[in-house]
Amino acid sequence: MLRSALSCNHRCCLRQIQLIDKVYFSSTALTANDKPRPKYNDKINYNSDISFSTTVDSKHLKYPMLSSRDLESHRKPPTRVRMLVRDFIEDSLYNPHYGYFSKRATIFTAPPHCGGVEGGFDFNKYRDSAEFEVDVAKRYKEFGNGEEDGPGRQLWHTPTELFKPWYGQAVAQCLVSEYLLKYFPYEDFKVYELGAGNGTLALNILDFLKTHYPEVYDRTQYTIIEISEKLARAQRHRLHQQGHGQVVDVVNRSVFEWERKEHAPCYVVAAEVVDNFAHDVVRYDLKTLEAYQGVVAVDEMGEFVPFYTKISDPLIASYLALRRRLSLPVPLPRFLRSPSLRRLYASLPFAPNLSPPDYIPTRLLSLLKILRTHFPRHRLLLSDFSSLPDAVPGLNAPVVQTRVGSTMIPCGSIFVQQGWFDIMFPTDFTALREMYEFLLSQAGPDADEQDELSYARVSPLASSTSPLSLGAGFFSSHARRSPLDGMTSASGLPVGERKSSVFSHAEYLETYADLGKTRLANGENPMVGFYENVKVLF
């Protein structure tokens, strides 16, 4: 999701937030000072004691290892626990009692008195993009009025909300064009939207179909999979109120807990959703290049103590093994790929003993496996950010930020107070497409878990002769996937789906959008120009 950068001019992280991770000179976890602290200790100077130990305090290793699902019943952030980094991120964002999206996040939308269609902006009246941005900033400020000092209401805007209804109509045109070509009138038009926010995209799509393609609307089944109970209620109420109750089903659950299998052809829409999917952190030992997984302990004071252990999580192992099988770029800076340069670097004073953090999209991998298993005949439309400014250090690293008053403040660490900060990641669309197509081409079960664990621990620079390697025909020139066994098409067309492609945001909109509706008086088009760091997989 696109967060407003209208006032992002501060570069520091809030110090009034009480939970801040410890800063260490070693890359592995280090022993914390166990000296009792005053109840109202000044956390600005939280790193008064520097430790050079490379061992983890034994008390932290005795904490129970919990997952984000284990923490769903907690009504406040836990202490005396350990968890994987992805579980920490997922708990921070989605815990039903204190998570960022559950309690603090609000989606900005143009108010109904804007004068445009359905409350959207009347783009043709603006002289240029500068005038439009001034109006957006003004309304953004109005939307956040009445806040207390400090982190409060968290606002962001998406292209769906900023350019309604025209952005949603472009998505509708994309989907319906494919449906009319392949399935109409033999199959129903089934759409699954992941994380529908205010329900604006669903509303714009359904309104467009009802007006321009009534024969398709009559065969539409639109399902929203929404993790937030509050948003699910709002979506259900809004869409029923607008007359779409007969074609809409809002399911309040996480897509990662989805169990129902959809056998019919369908379309899965994930618009500005996967940027908030939790990632894991992996770092490599500079001597052996063995991979280590990131874990964070939360002590009795609520302080975060990150450390690294040998790969043991099956999902992390599965991702690393898949990345090696696909021969994706090695997750190391170029100078660390040379053994001699690596030894020289490791011999420098205060040099880290692990490589820079590598944030891997393990939850995105979970989604791809769910799509393969539960939606075998789907077509995926996924749009999100391919790059982000102000990210924390590391490869594929996220932006961590919170809003104070009208200012968005980025931070330098992912280990911040749960529920107060947005944590969003860029998406490597080249890697995503290769993983997605490879997984869909695999008809059988995943590789043996123990094999993947062993394979994931091998140096990423080692050559691969593993039986897990790709089939010889995977990177062929054929533009279609193999048809599903035993699956026939009522239309008589080939069952094998076209392989997905990656488009720039401008390419996508120039193909499917009515750009005249969002063109300014001087010819500029903010719907195209404002999202140069967005890409689309379809």
Side-chain angles (χ1 to χ4, degrees), residues 59-85:
K59 72 175 182 180
H60 298 143
L61 297 176
K62 294 177 182 177
Y63 293 155
M65 189 77 171
L66 301 182
S67 69
S68 58
R69 194 164 186 179
D70 297 329
L71 295 171
E72 287 179 357
S73 60
H74 286 230
R75 295 189 170 272
K76 60 181 181 179
T79 57
R80 296 185 176 91
V81 297
R82 290 177 297 148
M83 64 191 86
L84 289 168
V85 169

Side-chain angles (χ1 to χ4, degrees), residues 122-133 515-516 518-527 529-530:
D122 186 358
F123 294 94
N124 300 145
K125 77 173 185 179
Y126 294 103
R127 293 191 306 271
D128 52 30
S129 60
E131 184 180 25
F132 173 64
E133 289 178 19
L515 296 181
T518 55
R519 186 171 291 119
L520 309 184
N522 69 342
E524 292 179 284
N525 200 314
M527 186 165 71
F530 276 21

Side-chain angles (χ1 to χ4, degrees), residues 65-66 83-90 277-283 292-296 307-309 311-320 323 356-366 395-398 414-415 423 425:
M65 189 77 171
L66 301 182
M83 64 191 86
L84 289 168
V85 169
R86 77 164 178 267
D87 289 307
F88 173 80
I89 294 172
E90 202 159 80
F277 277 9
H279 286 48
D280 276 289
V281 178
V282 169
R283 301 177 78 171
Y292 286 79
Q293 64 189 22
V295 179
V296 59
F307 59 96
Y308 295 84
T309 64
I311 301 293
S312 60
D313 178 69
L315 186 56
I316 295 176
S318 179
Y319 179 87
L320 295 178
R323 183 163 68 180
D358 177 21
Y359 292 86
I360 60 174
T362 40
R363 272 310 195 186
L364 181 56
L365 176 60
S366 295
L395 303 173
N396 194 42
I414 62 172
F415 299 114
I423 305 173
F425 293 83

